[in-house]
Amino acid sequence: MATSFWKARDFLFCGVCGTLLDLDNIRYASCPLCGFKRMAKDIEDKETRYSITAEDMRRQLKTQPFVDVVVQKTVIDGTCPKCKHNKLEYDQRQLRSADEGATTFYECPKCNYRFNEN
Ligand SMILES: [Zn+2]
Ligand SMILES: [Zn+2]
């Protein structure tokens, strides 16, 4: 694993409680537990060049729970791939810049199964 990743990774944990910061917002990472915020700019200013996207982070840290700050959820007709429930909730968020499109996350309200489509 690249050293730069682990350096950048240190900045992604809450300085107060050590929780993995939520990097969904491109401007800052915030702690889902205590609200601690770290500006993305601060991360860039550190010794490592911050070239890793939030998406890369999530892939690397997939053992961490998916932490959400959900802006809004919409209920749609759809079938849960897991339990076949006939309603799904979804929310859309920008993972990177506004130019690169959004990822839609679906969640089954019944079994809480989550998946996304690009
Ligand atoms: Zn915290
Ligand atoms: Zn389900």
Side-chain angles (χ1 to χ4, degrees):
M1 188 157 299
T3 313
S4 61
F5 169 75
W6 291 108
K7 279 185 183 172
R9 181 181 171 276
D10 288 341
F11 303 123
L12 284 177
F13 287 89
C14 176
V16 180
C17 70
T19 305
L20 179 67
L21 300 178
D22 186 345
L23 242 190
D24 279 352
N25 190 307
I26 200 71
R27 285 186 227 292
Y28 61 86
S30 62
C31 175
L33 216 61
C34 72
F36 172 84
K37 280 199 172 94
R38 178 168 275 158
M39 303 305 291
K41 191 165 67 66
D42 294 342
I43 301 172
E44 286 171 23
D45 287 343
K46 302 290 181 187
E47 56 189 291
T48 183
R49 266 170 301 136
Y50 186 71
S51 57
I52 301 159
T53 66
E55 212 173 346
D56 289 336
M57 282 296 168
R58 208 184 302 290
R59 211 174 297 128
Q60 298 282 9
L61 296 171
K62 58 172 174 280
T63 52
Q64 293 285 340
F66 195 100
V67 180
D68 271 349
V69 181
V70 175
V71 180
Q72 63 171 54
K73 278 190 174 179
T74 311
V75 178
I76 54 161
D77 290 328
T79 307
C80 170
K82 200 176 175 188
C83 74
K84 309 301 178 199
H85 185 63
N86 64 359
K87 292 270 186 256
L88 293 172
E89 291 176 349
Y90 80 91
D91 58 90
Q92 235 181 22
R93 69 192 66 203
Q94 301 297 132
L95 284 182
R96 281 171 286 180
S97 72
D99 305 336
E100 296 183 59
T103 301
T104 304
F105 290 86
Y106 296 93
E107 182 172 346
C108 172
K110 195 177 173 191
C111 72
N112 294 324
Y113 180 71
R114 267 191 92 95
F115 58 103
N116 67 66
E117 281 175 9
N118 290 313

